[in-house]
Amino acid sequence: MQIAVLGGDGTGPEVVAEGLKVLRAVACKAGFDYSTHDFDLGGERYLSAGGDPAKASIPVIHDDEIAELRTYDAIYLGAVGHPKIAPGILEKGLLLRLRFELDQYINLRPVKLYPGVETPLKDKGPADIDFVVVRENTEGIYTGMGGVQYKGTPAEVSTQVNCTTRFGAERAIRYAFELTRRRNGKKQLTLVHKTNVLTFAGDTWWRAFNEIGQAEYPEIKRDYNHVDACCMWFVKNPEFYDVIVTDNIFGDIITDLAAVIQGGLGVASGGNINPKGVSMYEPMGGSAPKYTGQNVINPMAAIGAMAMLLRETGVNQNNATLTKAGNMIEAAMMKVTPTMASQAAGKMGMSTTQVGDAVVAAL
Ligand code: IPM
Ligand code: MN
C-alpha cells in the first residue's frame, strides 16, 4: 500500500501527522505493510516558486507530479488554502485539477454523529444522524464551461454552464446504488436535484436514476428530494436518510450543512474517489491559518479521512484487511469522541497530538 501524502498549508500538516500516527498503529494491529511519500504542494509552495498571489501565473501542480501521483494506491491530503492567495487559484489549480485529471468522479461524504459529539439539532442523537452523501465530482457547474463578455462595462454578461452528461450521472448513480446495497441500512437511495426548475439537467438525472434503479437495483427503495427541501429535512428529520446521490454543486452545498449537523468541520471527512484509479481523502475543514502551529486544531476529521482511505481502498481493491483496518480506526474514534470536551479547535480539552494519541490508545 503506497500512500502519497499532501500535507499542504496551515494546519494541514498537523492533522495529517495525527492520521499517519493512527495509520502506523492500525497497520501493526491489522497486519499490512505500507509506505508514505510526502509531496510539497499547496499555497506556500506556489508562492515560494514565484507564483503571483493575485492571479494564476505558474502551475500550482506540475504535469510530472500528477503523473507520479497516478502511481500511488491513494492520496492523503491535509488542506490547501493560503490567506495571501486570491480565491480560485489553489482550488482550481490543485484540488479541482486533481479531481478532474485523476477522474475522481465521486465525492463521498459520510455524515455520522459520533457518540458524545454535540449537534446543533434539538433532540437528535447518533441514532438519528447516520447517512452518506454521494456527490458527483467532475461535472455540473464545476467544469469551467462558459465565459464573460463586455467585462467591466454595463453590458457585462457571464455564463457558467451546468454540464450534465448521462454518462456522468449514470456512473455516480450506479456507485450510489452499490453503496446503498453494501451499507445494508434502510436500503434507500434519495436523489437530490431541482427537477422543477432544471428541467433538462434534472430530467437526465431523474430518468437515469429510475431506469437504473428499476432494472438493476429493484430491492433498493428510490426516493427524491428537491435540493431546497433536502436542506429543510436535514435539520428537521435527518433520520429519513440512508444514502443520497446528487449533482456537483448541490452536493457541495448540502454537505457543508451536513457537516454542521454531525458536529462541525472538526469531524467531517471526505473522499474524492475513482473506484478504479487513485482516490484522495481529506478532512473537510480548511487550512485554518489562525490556529496553525498551536497544537489546538481537531485532527478527528483527518483521522476519519485515514479511516475512509483504508476502508474505500479496501473496497475498491478487494482487500478485506484494509477495509477492516478502516473500520477499526472508526471504532477507536468513537471511543475517544465522548472523552473530548468539544470538537471545536482550542476547546477540545486536549491538544491535537493528544487526540491522536488517544485514538491510538483506543486502537
Ligand atoms: C469542497 C470544497 C471545494 C468544492 C472547493 C474548495 C473548490 O468546498 O471540497 O467541498 O467546492 O468542491
Ligand atoms: Mn464545499
Side-chain angles (χ1 to χ4, degrees):
M1 169 89 165
Q2 294 190 303
I3 304 174
V5 179
L6 279 59
D9 298 314
T11 51
E14 291 171 53
V15 296
V16 154
E18 299 314 305
L20 293 174
K21 190 191 271 178
V22 173
L23 170 64
R24 234 167 2 249
V26 84
C28 188
K29 202 160 163 70
F32 64 90
D33 288 324
Y34 71 94
S35 66
T36 59
H37 182 81
D38 281 315
F39 283 75
D40 176 25
L41 286 166
E44 226 24 90
R45 207 276 299 253
Y46 174 79
L47 291 179
S48 64
D52 184 340
K55 60 176 194 296
S57 58
I58 59 170
V60 181
I61 180 168
H62 297 283
D63 291 348
D64 57 333
E65 289 169 324
I66 295 190
E68 208 194 324
L69 286 174
R70 281 184 201 280
T71 67
Y72 285 82
D73 291 295
I75 302 170
Y76 187 43
L77 172 69
V80 287
H82 199 289
K84 294 203 181 94
I85 301 180
I89 298 177
L90 298 172
E91 291 87 342
K92 278 188 160 171
L94 188 70
L95 197 60
L96 297 184
R97 187 152 172 226
L98 283 174
R99 285 179 184 171
F100 292 168
E101 292 206 20
L102 299 179
D103 202 20
Q104 295 165 339
Y105 61 88
I106 299 296
N107 192 307
L108 188 65
R109 279 278 294 105
V111 183
K112 184 164 170 173
L113 182 66
Y114 289 139
V117 175
E118 203 186 335
T119 174
L121 300 187
K122 189 165 165 256
D123 301 333
K124 300 291 176 189
D128 304 303
I129 302 172
D130 185 4
F131 60 93
V132 184
V133 179
V134 174
R135 161 186 172 192
E136 199 292 320
N137 211 30
T138 52
E139 299 195 342
I141 57 179
Y142 276 74
T143 56
M145 291 165 72
V148 58
Q149 192 66 276
Y150 314 123
K151 190 169 176 176
T153 77
E156 177 165 333
V157 46
S158 55
T159 60
Q160 198 95 42
V161 177
N162 179 12
C163 167
T164 296
T165 70
R166 174 79 188 211
F167 168 78
E170 275 196 11
R171 63 183 184 172
I173 287 166
R174 275 210 180 80
Y175 181 94
F177 272 117
E178 288 293 331
L179 174 65
T180 312
R181 190 177 262 175
R182 200 164 63 233
R183 231 173 98 81
N184 218 1
K186 288 201 195 86
K187 298 234 174 206
Q188 169 188 287
L189 179 61
T190 305
L191 171 67
V192 169
H193 210 287
K194 186 76 184 174
T195 54
N196 53 346
V197 176
L198 304 185
T199 50
F200 308 129
D203 189 48
T204 298
W205 275 91
W206 172 257
R207 280 179 291 109
F209 179 67
N210 286 303
E211 287 166 18
I212 291 171
Q214 198 166 34
E216 299 170 34
Y217 305 93
E219 84 281 17
I220 309 282
K221 186 171 168 253
R222 296 192 299 278
D223 181 31
Y224 172 81
N225 286 174
H226 291 318
V227 63
D228 47 351
C230 171
C231 290
M232 179 183 72
W233 296 124
F234 271 13
V235 175
K236 262 176 82 78
N237 296 93
E239 68 277 8
F240 281 177
Y241 296 102
D242 181 10
V243 180
I244 291 172
V245 64
T246 190
D247 137 283
N248 205 343
I249 188 70
F250 295 145
D252 178 47
I253 296 167
I254 66 173
T255 54
D256 266 25
L257 177 56
V260 172
I261 69 175
Q262 77 181 117
L265 289 174
V267 278
S269 322
N272 300 275
I273 296 179
N274 177 341
K276 294 204 160 58
V278 187
S279 305
M280 176 165 73
Y281 300 86
E282 54 173 333
M284 298 318 296
S287 57
K290 75 173 185 186
Y291 295 119
T292 302
Q294 296 174 40
N295 200 19
V296 297
I297 194 80
N298 190 351
M300 273 301 181
I303 295 170
M306 180 54 74
M308 284 183 78
L309 184 153
L310 294 173
R311 191 169 53 221
E312 302 309 320
T313 307
V315 169
N316 296 331
Q317 296 185 353
N318 215 351
N319 181 331
T321 306
L322 295 183
T323 305
K324 188 174 145 225
N327 292 336
M328 284 163 70
I329 294 180
E330 188 175 40
M333 290 167 64
M334 289 165 72
K335 288 197 183 130
V336 174
T337 48
T339 71
M340 297 168 69
S342 156
Q343 297 299 315
K347 298 184 182 149
M348 302 184 293
M350 27 178 134
S351 65
T352 306
T353 46
Q354 283 172 334
V355 173
D357 291 344
V359 176
V360 169
L363 258 175

